[in-house]
Amino acid sequence: MEKQLTENFRLSEFACKCGCGADHIDLRLVAMVQTIRTLYGKPIYITSGVRCETHNASPEVDGLENSAHLTGKAVDIGCTSSTVRHRLVQLLMYGSDEINRIGLAKTFIHIDIDETKPPNVIWTY
């Protein structure tokens, strides 16, 4: 049976998308995503959670060598509408004091809690 991490999220949603089995997501981050999901009141889709080194370096991901996804401290939330993006960023900014690294892309919002990287930043892809 699949492991339920929170009311709305299962462990498999945060596992590496290549199928290698890497699923060492930081449970503090999962709790924060659940808080945002609860405040939002609608499903949130994780497009990328934990990544193994091979998947992170693959052409379809082209992730950074020191990506927070490698340590399970980052997730990408699927988002394609500017209205939804605005609402989610609003919730991310005010729904959790610990989420202080946000990346905005056309199809997703990256959030991470990697303490080894500069805090209080928002960037675009």
Side-chain angles (χ1 to χ4, degrees):
M1 179 142 98
E2 189 170 3
K3 185 173 183 181
Q4 192 77 27
L5 297 179
T6 67
E7 178 183 349
N8 298 105
F9 294 103
R10 297 177 314 278
L11 181 58
S12 63
E13 295 177 80
F14 298 94
C16 186
K17 301 300 184 202
C18 80
C20 69
D23 63 4
H24 53 276
I25 192 71
D26 188 306
L27 295 179
R28 293 176 307 132
L29 180 58
V30 174
M32 291 174 211
V33 173
Q34 178 61 55
T35 297
I36 300 309
R37 162 60 175 89
T38 301
L39 291 170
Y40 185 50
K42 299 176 186 174
I44 288 178
Y45 302 99
I46 306 302
T47 60
S48 185
V50 174
R51 294 183 195 149
C52 67
E53 289 187 23
T54 302
H55 185 60
N56 190 61
S58 68
E60 66 265 17
V61 173
D62 194 28
L64 297 175
E65 194 173 291
N66 66 342
S67 172
H69 288 277
L70 295 168
T71 59
K73 294 188 181 288
V75 297
D76 295 341
I77 298 170
C79 180
T80 56
S81 152
S82 62
T83 304
V84 171
R85 186 177 300 107
H86 179 272
R87 182 63 180 142
L88 288 175
V89 168
Q90 187 178 46
L91 292 171
L92 289 165
M93 296 288 294
Y94 301 106
S96 174
D97 292 337
E98 294 183 71
I99 297 174
N100 59 17
R101 296 180 44 78
I102 301 171
L104 302 175
K106 186 174 183 178
T107 60
F108 66 90
I109 299 171
H110 169 97
I111 61 173
D112 77 58
I113 57 168
D114 190 336
E115 302 89 358
T116 67
K117 296 180 174 37
N120 305 320
V121 294
I122 296 178
W123 66 91
T124 58
Y125 292 93

